[in-house]
Amino acid sequence: MLLYLLPRFDNPMTRPITDRCSFPSTLWRAIRVVGIDPAAVLHKAGLPGSVHLDPATSLSTSQYFAIWKAINALADEPCIALKIIRAGDTTGQQPGFLAGLYAANFRDAISRLLHFKSMVTSEKIWTKEEQGRWSMGRDWPFATEREPSLSIDLAFAYMVELGRRGTGQRVRPVRVQYARDRGRDDALESYYGCRIDFGAGCDSITFANEDLDIPFSGYSPEFLEIVTHSVLGAFAKLAGDDTVIDRVKSAMKRTMGAGRPEAAAIASELGMSERTLQRRITSEASTYRALLIEARRERGLELLQNPSFDIDAITTMLGYESSTSFYRAFKQWEGVSPGEWRLRRGMDRGI
């Protein structure tokens, strides 16, 4: 029997699934550690180079997939997923993974990890339990193509890694199925400890029930409650408990690098007509022009805090036609030039 995962500790008000994904900052840091520049990834994915600076940036499923495909292409090596997981030991693991380490057993840890993950992506997780085995996979309601192989590899490997670290044993899946054809996957197969079935009807991973019931040595009910509450709060904010104004500004920040974001384009990205967008903005006592000014100001201040970006680069990322236009706008926002703003904060680079 196939079941779609229903979280045991979620708000009883079920949110509708929308085409919105987030890419965690912990993953961006891990990707940098393995030698891949986030800005290069975003460039190859056709996205603004500043997306990795704001983990709250909302992405569509197609944009989310494009990032994973770009990482895989730039890595150009097999099993990059395993390197990313190991890099997390120095850059910080994802919150859901850390919370899972304090769960009661492997089954509880997986449930929490999958729930936290589903809060920030539009994936729909399914599980199946029969004949002493538990299987998991996921569908993407808004996808127009197959999920990238690296995204799948990392999701399954994280589950295996969570089980091994939590139990202190070499937990192995009893079966891994990939819809893709076999490639350079020997190291990944060795990591799982079982043969991978390629060319399957879907992507799934299966564990024996007896392994799921192995208790975690670090189980701490008190700490788990604290961590879970904290992670749920942070993920709920990323998952979309925001206003239309927040969503519009997020979309503006994501697209402004290609030029001044037009209302029709933003409306389309948010899945509504331009007329509906304008009405929703008005209902929240604002205007499109005011939101664009706010979005540019917020993004501009974020970018200026990164000394690796010069004024010309920031001008482009904010969608201004010239640095003169950016200087003029910034002085209206802050009363000083971008260079003076940085100088006062000890970030002057001779601008």
Side-chain angles (χ1 to χ4, degrees):
M1 180 178 180
L2 190 67
L3 298 174
Y4 280 97
L5 185 64
L6 296 177
R8 295 178 289 102
F9 36 83
D10 199 5
N11 187 305
M13 294 294 291
T14 303
R15 290 186 302 273
I17 297 178
T18 57
D19 189 13
R20 302 180 64 202
C21 306
S22 294
F23 206 91
S25 57
T26 51
L27 273 178
W28 282 125
R29 292 197 296 269
I31 289 164
R32 186 184 293 278
V33 166
V34 299
I36 304 173
D37 181 15
V41 170
L42 293 166
H43 176 73
K44 190 170 185 64
L47 295 170
S50 58
V51 167
H52 70 285
L53 300 176
D54 183 6
T57 296
S58 178
L59 303 164
S60 65
T61 298
S62 61
Q63 291 171 328
Y64 184 73
F65 282 9
I67 290 176
W68 285 117
K69 288 190 293 184
I71 294 171
N72 199 42
L74 291 173
D76 192 29
E77 63 176 287
C79 302
I80 188 64
L82 302 182
K83 288 189 175 182
I84 292 175
I85 288 179
R86 288 193 290 269
D89 292 335
T90 58
T91 63
Q93 296 288 2
Q94 295 186 57
F97 184 90
L98 293 176
L101 292 175
Y102 298 96
N105 53 36
F106 191 19
R107 183 188 297 272
D108 184 26
I110 286 179
S111 179
R112 293 175 186 275
L113 176 65
L114 295 181
H115 173 53
F116 293 144
K117 183 72 166 62
S118 69
M119 290 182 70
V120 291
T121 60
S122 56
E123 65 190 295
K124 195 173 183 182
I125 297 168
W126 60 261
T127 64
K128 180 174 65 176
E129 192 162 351
E130 59 183 9
Q131 298 181 340
R133 294 184 172 186
W134 178 93
S135 300
M136 165 268 169
R138 51 190 186 179
D139 299 325
W140 296 85
F142 301 97
T144 57
E145 59 183 317
R146 182 181 295 173
E147 181 182 2
S149 59
L150 178 55
S151 175
I152 299 166
D153 293 346
L154 200 61
F156 289 177
Y158 262 122
M159 294 176 65
V160 174
E161 190 71 14
L162 178 61
R164 291 174 179 174
R165 297 194 186 194
T167 64
Q169 301 179 28
R170 184 172 169 75
V171 173
R172 296 183 299 174
V174 295
R175 188 179 189 184
V176 175
Q177 291 184 303
Y178 281 155
R180 69 180 188 249
D181 295 331
R182 175 179 284 278
R184 297 180 296 170
D185 299 288
D186 292 345
L188 190 62
E189 204 166 49
S190 176
Y191 174 80
Y192 288 143
C194 73
R195 185 172 63 86
I196 299 175
D197 296 329
F198 292 91
C202 67
D203 301 297
S204 66
I205 187 168
T206 302
F207 294 94
N209 282 348
E210 58 189 34
D211 287 336
L212 295 183
D213 294 332
I214 299 176
F216 273 21
S217 58
Y219 175 48
S220 171
E222 298 81 8
F223 194 74
L224 182 61
E225 182 178 359
I226 294 173
V227 173
T228 299
H229 179 76
S230 175
V231 172
L232 283 175
F235 276 21
K237 183 176 181 180
L238 292 177
D241 295 341
D242 48 15
T243 65
V244 169
I245 284 179
D246 293 328
R247 293 175 60 195
V248 169
K249 289 198 297 183
S250 178
M252 287 174 170
K253 293 175 183 178
R254 186 167 62 253
T255 60
M256 63 178 57
R260 186 182 189 278
E262 297 299 331
I266 296 299
S268 177
E269 181 158 344
L270 296 180
M272 63 182 77
S273 68
E274 183 177 353
R275 185 175 180 179
T276 298
L277 173 65
Q278 297 287 9
R279 186 172 63 249
R280 296 286 295 277
I281 292 174
T282 300
S283 71
E284 295 189 20
S286 190
T287 66
Y288 186 85
R289 181 175 182 277
L291 293 184
L292 179 56
I293 292 174
E294 289 179 22
R296 277 176 157 169
R297 176 181 178 275
E298 291 172 3
R299 177 64 81 196
L301 294 176
E302 291 170 0
L303 295 175
L304 278 169
Q305 293 181 58
N306 188 331
S308 64
F309 294 132
D310 60 27
I311 295 301
D312 287 340
I314 294 175
T315 296
T316 300
M317 290 178 188
L318 296 181
Y320 285 104
E321 294 181 355
S322 67
S323 57
T324 301
S325 299
F326 173 49
Y327 270 93
R328 186 183 304 116
F330 194 86
K331 290 205 72 170
Q332 291 178 341
W333 304 336
E334 302 298 313
V336 296
S337 71
E340 290 174 307
W341 189 89
R342 274 181 160 172
L343 182 62
R344 294 180 181 183
R345 287 160 179 75
M347 296 181 289
D348 179 50
R349 298 177 66 234
I351 298 170

